[in-house]
Each structure stands twice: as structure tokens, then as C-alpha cells.
């Protein structure tokens, strides 16, 4: 009889204490012209930023909730389930394809989002992917293309950083983007457990061009052809085009970044997580939040 009553909804937030940690009920009420009232409640969690971030990181809450004050609300979080296929599906909004072409040819590789600020989406890849030009095309998981600029790259590890201005990303896409989950405490606890790890590579249309999975062999050891820098070894096959791909475990933790393979003997190598973080800070002057 009354039609849309949205404008008549009243809110009771008298039980919410925004300056003290706790879980508080927030009640909504609406009454029609016959005096029939409907009430519904949601719960507001007030916590310090670190606790909020841990809840996001454990997927106790997500960006579908209204989150204010979290350090990184874009974090994809880690799943309690050890499911490498599920990880690939969860991680797609954090993956990108990088592409550059001119009259001499083209360069292509993968990358992953490590940080989203009010101004920029920061992407890690290999140095040899991003050093070809100051600008390149960035393709997100839905096929959207945006202009990217190279922030810089490391000389001691094959790590580079590119960025896309937030203003150049459609609002509906920005709401879906995620950053990879970085748990350095967990990574440091790894010795040489044979945990499931793998990568998924996107194409420029937003499809999946390649998926590989295997196990972690060595968390950090010296690469036969680069005795100055230790690398991470995995069992799954790397090939051209995998450069810069995020290597994830079955829970969704970032373990490393695809780097190279040796032919004789046939072995597959990644940049270790701690070196990615060190290079990122040196290149950008920024430190990402890690658990």
C-alpha cells in the first residue's frame, strides 16, 4: 500500500561505541501506515587496525563488509583450506598481464598487485619484463586495459615495479581488485616442506592462458648460474611468458615470483619472498603490510 519505504527507515546506533573496541548491534526500523513495524540488526565490529587486518587476512571478514581503518582492505587473505585450485580462482583479481609493443617487436609477461593506495595500484614483475620501456599496457583479470608506468627495477634481483593510476581504473573494477596475501612470518617458518605451490597466468582478454602446479623444493638456495643471489626452487615447469607470475601455495600465500629455468640440469627458479619485499621497498620507498 505504501510503496517504497526506504526513505522512512530509521537507524538506532545508540549501542555503538566507535571509540572502544567491541561488537555492537546497529538496528534498522521502518513502520508502514498501518503501524506495522519491521526491525533488523547488523553488528559493527570496532577494532584497532592490526586486529582488523588479521581478520581480513584470515578471511573472517571481507571487503563485502564495510571496513573503515583497515591497513589493507584489498588483501585477498589466506584460506584455512589447502586447495591450490581454489587459490588460483581466489587470486585472479590480484593478477595482471603486462605487454609492450613497438616497431622492433613486443615484450610480455605477468605481474601481481602488491599494494593499492588512494593514487596507485602497484604491481611487481620481473625486471626483464618492465625495463623495456617507461610505459606499458596493463591488462587486469577482466580484460580491462590501463596505461602503466615503470617505477623502477632492482639490479641484484630480477624484480621490477610498475604502477597504474587509480583514476585510470574503472570504479567497478577497482572494487574487485585484490592484493596478494603476504605472510612473511609463515614464509620464514618454511624449511623445505613439500607444500603445494603453483602459478596461473592470465591473457590479455581476461582469460587463463596457463596453469601449473607442483611442490616447493627449496625455500632459498643458490642458483647454479648466479652464485651471488639465492633463489627458490619449485618442481613445476616454467616457460617463456611465465616471467613475473606470482607463485602461491594452496592457502593463498605468496611464496615467490617466477624467474627462470636452467636447461642442464632442468630446474625451475623463483625470486624468494623476502627478496621481493626488499626490492620493492628499495625501488618505491614504500613498505607493504606483511603478516
Amino acid at each position: 500500500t505504501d510503496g517504497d519505504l526506504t526513505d522512512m527507515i530509521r537507524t538506532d546506533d545508540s549501542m555503538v561505541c566507535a571509540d572502544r573496541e567491541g561488537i555492537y548491534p546497529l538496528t534498522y526500523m521502518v513502520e508502514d501506515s498501518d503501524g506495522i513495524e519491521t526491525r533488523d540488526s547488523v553488528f559493527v565490529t570496532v577494532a584497532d587496525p592490526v586486529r582488523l587486518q588479521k581478520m581480513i587476512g584470515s578471511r573472517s571478514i571481507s571487503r563485502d563488509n564495510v571496513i573503515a581503518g583497515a591497513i589493507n582492505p584489498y588483501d585477498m587473505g589466506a584460506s584455512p583450506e589447502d586447495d591450490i585450485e581454489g587459490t588460483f580462482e581466489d587470486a585472479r583479481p590480484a593478477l595482471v598481464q603486462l605487454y609492450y609493443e613497438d616497431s622492433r617487436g613486443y615484450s610480455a609477461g605477468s605481474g601481481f598487485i602488491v599494494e593499492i593506495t588512494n593514487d596507485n595500484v602497484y604491481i611487481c614483475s620481473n625486471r626483464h619484463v618492465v625495463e623495456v620501456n617507461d610505459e606499458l599496457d596493463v591488462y587486469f583479470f577482466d580484460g580491462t586495459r590501463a596505461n602503466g608506468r615503470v617505477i623502477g627495477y632492482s639490479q641484484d634481483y630480477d624484480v621490477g615495479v610498475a604502477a597504474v593510476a587509480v583514476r585510470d581504473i574503472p570504479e567497478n573494477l577497482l572494487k574487485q581488485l585484490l592484493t596478494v596475501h603476504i605472510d612473511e612470518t609463515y614464509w620464514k617458518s618454511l624449511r623445505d616442506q613439500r607444500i603445494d605451490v603453483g602459478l596461473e597466468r592470465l591473457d590479455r582478454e581476461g582469460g587463463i592462458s596457463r596453469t601449473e602446479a607442483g611442490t616447493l623444493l627449496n625455500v632459498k638456495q643458490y642458483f647454479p648460474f648466479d652464485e651471488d643471489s639465492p633463489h627458490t626452487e619449485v618442481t613445476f615447469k616454467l616457460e617463456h611468458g611465465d616471467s613475473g607470475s606470482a607463485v602461491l601455495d594452496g592457502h593463498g600465500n605468496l611464496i615467490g615470483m617466477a624467474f627462470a629455468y636452467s636447461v642442464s640440469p632442468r630446474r625451475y627458479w623463483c625470486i624468494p619472498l623476502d627478496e621481493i619485499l626488499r626490492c620493492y621497498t628499495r625501488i618505491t620507498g614504500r613498505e607493504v603490510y606483511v603478516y
Side-chain angles (χ1 to χ4, degrees):
T1 300
D2 294 333
D4 188 350
L5 299 178
T6 302
D7 292 339
M8 298 176 63
I9 295 175
R10 293 168 290 134
T11 305
D12 180 2
D13 62 355
S14 61
M15 300 295 288
V16 178
C17 185
D19 59 358
R20 188 172 69 240
E21 290 194 47
I23 300 176
Y24 306 101
L26 177 65
T27 303
Y28 297 92
M29 303 157 286
V30 67
E31 183 177 318
D32 69 10
S33 58
D34 291 321
I36 300 174
E37 184 179 76
T38 296
R39 289 173 172 258
D40 200 1
S41 294
V42 297
F43 290 92
V44 176
T45 299
V46 179
D48 66 55
V50 173
R51 182 175 166 226
L52 272 179
Q53 195 60 51
K54 288 180 178 178
M55 294 170 72
I56 295 171
S58 62
R59 299 189 184 176
S60 302
I61 57 176
S62 72
R63 281 170 55 208
D64 293 334
N65 304 94
V66 179
I67 302 170
I71 301 168
N72 176 22
Y74 297 95
D75 181 17
M76 66 174 275
S79 169
E81 307 295 330
D82 188 359
D83 176 9
I84 194 69
E85 292 185 3
T87 285
F88 293 151
E89 185 174 350
D90 293 336
R92 285 168 198 154
L95 307 182
V96 301
Q97 175 73 201
L98 304 173
Y99 187 82
Y100 172 76
E101 185 172 7
D102 61 15
S103 58
R104 297 171 296 175
Y106 75 93
S107 174
S110 297
F112 51 92
I113 301 171
V114 294
E115 190 176 13
I116 300 175
T117 68
N118 291 334
D119 299 318
N120 293 303
V121 173
Y122 290 96
I123 297 161
C124 267
S125 184
N126 285 141
R127 176 185 66 236
H128 71 262
V129 172
V130 304
E131 68 180 347
V132 293
N133 198 53
D134 292 338
E135 296 183 347
L136 37 72
D137 293 329
V138 177
Y139 291 87
F140 293 98
F141 78 107
D142 67 342
T144 296
R145 184 193 69 80
N147 294 323
R149 68 188 189 282
V150 175
I151 301 298
Y153 38 82
S154 170
Q155 296 299 330
D156 53 346
Y157 272 93
D158 195 354
V159 176
V161 179
V164 175
V166 165
R167 65 176 180 272
D168 294 335
I169 300 174
E171 185 177 352
N172 64 327
L173 173 59
L174 185 62
K175 291 179 179 178
Q176 299 177 70
L177 294 183
L178 298 173
T179 64
V180 290
H181 183 72
I182 304 175
D183 189 337
E184 193 175 20
T185 302
Y186 163 76
W187 182 84
K188 287 179 178 179
S189 74
L190 296 174
R191 292 300 175 257
D192 289 321
Q193 298 99 315
R194 297 296 187 265
I195 62 172
D196 291 337
V197 293
L199 65 80
E200 188 166 85
R201 200 171 89 206
L202 305 180
D203 61 28
R204 286 181 285 152
E205 287 72 45
I208 301 165
S209 64
R210 194 170 118 76
T211 300
E212 283 288 335
T215 57
L216 176 68
L217 278 183
N218 298 291
V219 176
K220 202 170 181 181
Q221 70 165 21
Y222 285 97
F223 185 40
F225 306 107
D226 183 0
E227 292 298 332
D228 295 327
S229 304
H231 286 74
T232 296
E233 186 178 7
V234 296
T235 64
F236 62 84
K237 182 180 180 182
L238 295 177
E239 56 184 46
H240 290 294
D242 290 339
S243 296
S245 295
V247 175
L248 305 166
D249 73 1
H251 297 283
N253 296 293
L254 182 67
I255 301 298
M257 176 168 59
F259 160 57
Y261 59 86
S262 55
V263 176
S264 182
R266 195 76 172 182
R267 299 170 74 177
Y268 306 100
W269 302 94
C270 308
I271 310 293
L273 175 62
D274 62 339
E275 300 297 350
I276 296 172
L277 296 174
R278 182 178 61 82
C279 291
Y280 180 83
T281 297
R282 181 177 295 178
I283 294 166
T284 65
R286 304 182 57 83
E287 290 190 15
V288 298
Y289 180 83
V290 300
Y291 293 86

